[in-house]
């Protein structure tokens, strides 16, 4: 593995990580050991995307777009009742369906829809309908007793990731059946990684915009700035062996390493965007994913992981727009 240190990160990344570490991750330890043992044997994705029927509220004007909020029951039965209802926001340019649809997943600790609306609303005005999913365990889906987006156990985080994939696959299947010509999935940071994982597990071509994401989440959680939010000695319990806890966390998260899966059906419709001064995601991980997804495009922005959200909206929107332009229309996929 290429040597990497977050010390060369953008100053905004370092400041953000310093503030975020006040809300520690995994303060209640590993959590459900039976679940962790199960995923350590093999990942637990459903063999096919589930069928869901979202229930949509009335459309209403919202900042120059039309907005509908919807819900459906998560296809992941392991989620506790407060977490089990999936929430999704649908943004469109008119009070009708657009030409293309893109599901946009949330980043780590990103609760609600405000950030994604701010970043990607220009695409809506171009005729791209956006579907913003609320992550399990975030926002209105927090379990009782959880404060903010700091998940209390590792098993909660595993369930969140499984839920993100299954809910995105199910929603994409509903969108395909609803008649959208082009379908895509996108996300930033954890959202970008989970978007990529969803794409490789979806049974048809998808546009993919994996933004500030890499092939494996392991270095993000064990060596990058996000690791500042984890007390590894506390995670290991009575033994207080921080390195042992770090290695176990890495083994669990590496089970979903994207290089262990085939590329998506149409890798030429995948755009990867990396930040040159990223203190959370090592550049080597994005290069590894690009090499594994032959024909994908790798783009760079001269920013940090956090600062890119503030300064690179044009580049982020362009990655989503261009990936959708490259994916085969649904009519051609069915031919």
């Amino acid at each position: 593995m290429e040597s990497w240190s977050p010390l060369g990160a953008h100053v905004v990344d370092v400041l953000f990580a310093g503030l975020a570490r006040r809300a520690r991750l995994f303060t209640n330890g590993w959590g459900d050991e039976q679940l962790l043992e199960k995923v350590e044997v093999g990942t637990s994705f459903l063999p096919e995307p589930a069928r869901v029927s979202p229930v949509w509220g009335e459309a209403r004007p919202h900042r120059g777009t039309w907005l509908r909020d919807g819900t459906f029951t998560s296809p992941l039965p392991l989620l506790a009742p407060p977490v089990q209802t999936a929430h999704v926001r649908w943004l469109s340019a008119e009070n009708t369906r657009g030409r293309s649809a893109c599901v946009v997943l949330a980043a780590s600790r990103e609760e609600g829809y405000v950030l994604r609306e701010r970043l990607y609303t220009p695409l809506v005005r171009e005729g791209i309908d956006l579907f913003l999913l609320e992550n399990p365990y975030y926002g209105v889906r927090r379990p009782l007793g959880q404060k903010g987006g700091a998940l209390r156990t590792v098993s909660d985080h595993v369930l969140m990731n499984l839920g993100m994939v299954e809910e995105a696959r199910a929603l994409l299947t509903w969108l395909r059946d609803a008649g959208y010509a082009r379908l895509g999935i996108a996300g930033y940071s954890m959202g970008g990684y989970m978007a990529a994982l969803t794409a490789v597990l979806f049974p048809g071509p998808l546009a993919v915009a994996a933004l500030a994401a890499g092939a494996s989440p392991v270095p993000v959680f064990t060596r990058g700035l996000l690791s500042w939010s984890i007390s590894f000695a506390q995670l290991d319990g009575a033994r207080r062996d921080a390195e042992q806890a770090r290695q176990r966390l890495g083994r669990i998260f590496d089970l979903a390493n994207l290089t262990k899966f085939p590329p998506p059906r149409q890798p030429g419709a995948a755009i990867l965007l990396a930040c040159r001064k990223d203190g959370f995601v090592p550049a080597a991980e994005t290069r590894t994913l690009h090499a594994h997804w032959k024909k994908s495009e790798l783009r760079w922005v001269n920013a940090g992981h956090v600062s890119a959200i503030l300064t690179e909206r044009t580049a982020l929107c362009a990655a989503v727009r261009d990936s959708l332009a490259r994916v085969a229309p649904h009519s051609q996929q069915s031919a």
Side-chain angles (χ1 to χ4, degrees), residues 60-67 90-95 117 121-122 124-125:
R60 61 186 190 274
H62 177 69
R63 298 179 181 176
T65 68
W66 285 86
L67 176 154
W90 174 2
L91 298 175
S92 59
E94 304 288 344
N95 191 11
E117 287 179 2
T121 292
V124 178
R125 303 188 183 103

Side-chain angles (χ1 to χ4, degrees), residues 183-258:
L183 291 180
I185 188 159
Y188 193 91
S189 188
M190 180 181 71
Y193 173 79
M194 301 311 294
L197 186 57
T198 299
V200 304
L201 294 168
F202 192 72
L206 286 177
V208 188
L211 313 171
S216 171
V218 175
V220 177
F221 281 89
T222 61
R223 296 186 290 131
L225 292 177
L226 183 63
S227 69
W228 289 8
S229 295
I230 304 171
S231 173
F232 288 98
Q234 181 181 350
L235 181 59
D236 197 52
R239 290 170 297 189
R240 309 287 292 180
D241 188 331
E243 187 54 33
Q244 181 169 296
R246 193 185 305 269
Q247 291 178 11
R248 186 188 182 198
L249 190 68
R251 289 195 302 272
I252 292 170
F253 284 164
D254 198 51
L255 294 167
N257 189 321
L258 287 160

Side-chain angles (χ1 to χ4, degrees), residues 254-321:
D254 198 51
L255 294 167
N257 189 321
L258 287 160
T259 63
K260 298 180 179 180
F261 298 84
R265 298 293 183 90
Q266 192 179 341
I271 295 178
L272 315 178
L273 183 142
C275 305
R276 296 190 185 278
K277 300 176 182 178
D278 199 320
F280 289 83
V281 178
E285 286 295 330
T286 312
R287 293 192 192 99
T288 296
L289 181 58
H290 175 50
H292 184 55
W293 287 9
K294 300 185 188 307
K295 299 184 179 180
S296 66
E297 180 184 351
L298 174 56
R299 298 179 179 180
W300 295 90
V301 292
N302 190 31
H305 193 85
V306 178
S307 66
I309 296 172
L310 306 174
T311 63
E312 299 294 340
R313 183 173 77 165
T314 298
L316 301 180
C317 285
V320 177
R321 179 191 306 113

Side-chain angles (χ1 to χ4, degrees), residues 23-332:
R24 293 282 186 179
L25 296 173
F26 315 142
T27 54
N28 288 11
W30 299 103
D32 186 341
E33 285 288 355
Q34 286 188 326
L35 172 69
L36 296 179
E37 289 172 8
K38 182 179 178 182
V39 298
E40 286 186 81
V41 173
T43 51
S44 304
F45 300 109
L46 299 176
E48 295 291 336
R51 296 280 177 169
V52 296
S53 298
V55 176
W56 298 103
E58 289 293 323
R60 61 186 190 274
H62 177 69
R63 298 179 181 176
T65 68
W66 285 86
L67 176 154
R68 301 168 183 83
D69 283 329
T71 60
F72 59 90
T73 300
S74 177
L76 189 67
L78 299 172
L79 295 175
V83 187
Q84 203 166 44
T85 299
H87 291 255
V88 57
R89 176 159 291 183
W90 174 2
L91 298 175
S92 59
E94 304 288 344
N95 191 11
T96 56
R97 182 171 53 80
R99 301 182 302 275
S100 303
C102 186
V103 174
V104 186
L105 301 180
S108 179
R109 306 201 202 207
E110 182 191 341
E111 300 189 283
Y113 309 113
V114 173
L115 177 60
R116 283 172 287 169
E117 287 179 2
R118 186 185 72 81
L119 288 174
Y120 305 110
T121 292
L123 297 170
V124 178
R125 303 188 183 103
E126 299 173 20
I128 299 171
D129 284 11
L130 299 182
F131 292 81
L132 315 179
L133 274 165
E134 179 87 283
N135 286 359
Y137 295 89
Y138 282 1
V140 295
R141 303 183 68 182
R142 282 188 212 161
L144 186 65
Q146 178 183 304
K147 297 180 180 180
L151 272 64
R152 292 172 292 183
T153 68
V154 175
S155 63
D156 282 352
H157 201 284
V158 170
L159 285 174
M160 177 177 69
N161 291 159
L162 291 173
M164 289 175 72
V165 170
E166 298 301 352
E167 291 164 16
R169 291 204 299 164
L171 183 57
L172 286 162
T173 300
W174 183 84
L175 293 170
R176 182 187 62 194
D177 295 344
Y180 282 95
R182 299 174 188 269
L183 291 180
I185 188 159
Y188 193 91
S189 188
M190 180 181 71
Y193 173 79
M194 301 311 294
L197 186 57
T198 299
V200 304
L201 294 168
F202 192 72
L206 286 177
V208 188
L211 313 171
S216 171
V218 175
V220 177
F221 281 89
T222 61
R223 296 186 290 131
L225 292 177
L226 183 63
S227 69
W228 289 8
S229 295
I230 304 171
S231 173
F232 288 98
Q234 181 181 350
L235 181 59
D236 197 52
R239 290 170 297 189
R240 309 287 292 180
D241 188 331
E243 187 54 33
Q244 181 169 296
R246 193 185 305 269
Q247 291 178 11
R248 186 188 182 198
L249 190 68
R251 289 195 302 272
I252 292 170
F253 284 164
D254 198 51
L255 294 167
N257 189 321
L258 287 160
T259 63
K260 298 180 179 180
F261 298 84
R265 298 293 183 90
Q266 192 179 341
I271 295 178
L272 315 178
L273 183 142
C275 305
R276 296 190 185 278
K277 300 176 182 178
D278 199 320
F280 289 83
V281 178
E285 286 295 330
T286 312
R287 293 192 192 99
T288 296
L289 181 58
H290 175 50
H292 184 55
W293 287 9
K294 300 185 188 307
K295 299 184 179 180
S296 66
E297 180 184 351
L298 174 56
R299 298 179 179 180
W300 295 90
V301 292
N302 190 31
H305 193 85
V306 178
S307 66
I309 296 172
L310 306 174
T311 63
E312 299 294 340
R313 183 173 77 165
T314 298
L316 301 180
C317 285
V320 177
R321 179 191 306 113
D322 295 348
S323 66
L324 279 164
R326 296 174 189 180
V327 74
H330 181 59
S331 58
Q332 294 182 20

